[in-house]
Amino acid sequence: MGPPGAGKGTQAARITRFCGIPHISTGDIFRAAIREGTELGREAKKYLDAGQLVPDQITIEIIRERLKQQDCARGFLLDGFPRTLPQAEALDRLLADLGSNLDLVLNVAVRPEILLERLTGRRICRSCGATYHVVFQPLQLSGICDRCGGELYQRSDDTAETVEDRLKVYTNQTASLLEHYRRRGLLKEVNGEQEIDAVWMEIQRCLRSLC
Ligand code: AP5
Ligand code: MG
Ligand code: ZN
């Protein structure tokens, strides 16, 4: 968990490699559906472009289907889900049905004033999905992905205007979930304002007992 631009995706890529489990990002699932022009994509686009949440019913159904897949049998990492209390409650029910449970909830904590620069400076590879930042995670060669040579793009919701709406949505609808998990003793807070490698070191300490 963490606000938009906290570094959830950046750290999730490392966690999933380290633990050998699938990375399930609801944002990535919606963006893939938009690219493919599916019915889900057409519906989701309205919300993503406005910085608003896709309705719970749609989002929960996607997670329900995804968690049933074989690659989730030995664990998985959720990135950007749950984001509302109904989603968190639905997740509890889904996991109970699967005979599973949450091991850990990581919150990557970053103050709002830092997030705008992170998001407007983000660049993503169209081919392999690697994430960069014009200042904090720069490319070796300008314009193309260091890993695969792919073309880079900016997310359409990474404009100053939409970021403001996304931050409001986080504060009003998602931030209170931290308390839900803190009360259950599942929450670990990580200082997301450090450099990417330092955040990863802190996360690795949290994972030690799990992977
Ligand atoms: P989603 O894709 O989840 O976006 P988000 O939560 O807004 O978060 P981001 O992906 O923008 O940021 P991140 O924390 O992953 O940061 P990153 O690692 O890339 O959701 C998008 C939309 O989909 C939502 O608005 C909603 O419409 C819909 N949606 C998704 N899930 C939903 C749900 N459950 N319910 C309903 N709707 C849903 O890093 C950001 C940048 O900072 C990068 O450039 C990176 O290089 C840089 N960076 C990372 N870490 C550091 C660091 N430590 N120091 C300096 N720079 C850093
Ligand atoms: Mg992300
Ligand atoms: Zn690439």
Side-chain angles (χ1 to χ4, degrees), residues 56 83-90 173 176-177 180:
D56 284 339
R83 273 165 129 105
T84 63
L85 193 56
Q87 289 182 16
E89 289 168 349
Q173 301 190 54
S176 63
L177 280 188
H180 176 81

Side-chain angles (χ1 to χ4, degrees), residues 124-130 132 144-152:
I124 302 164
C125 172
R126 223 179 263 292
S127 306
C128 75
Y132 299 92
I144 58 163
C145 175
D146 291 341
R147 286 196 204 156
C148 78
E151 182 200 3
L152 297 171

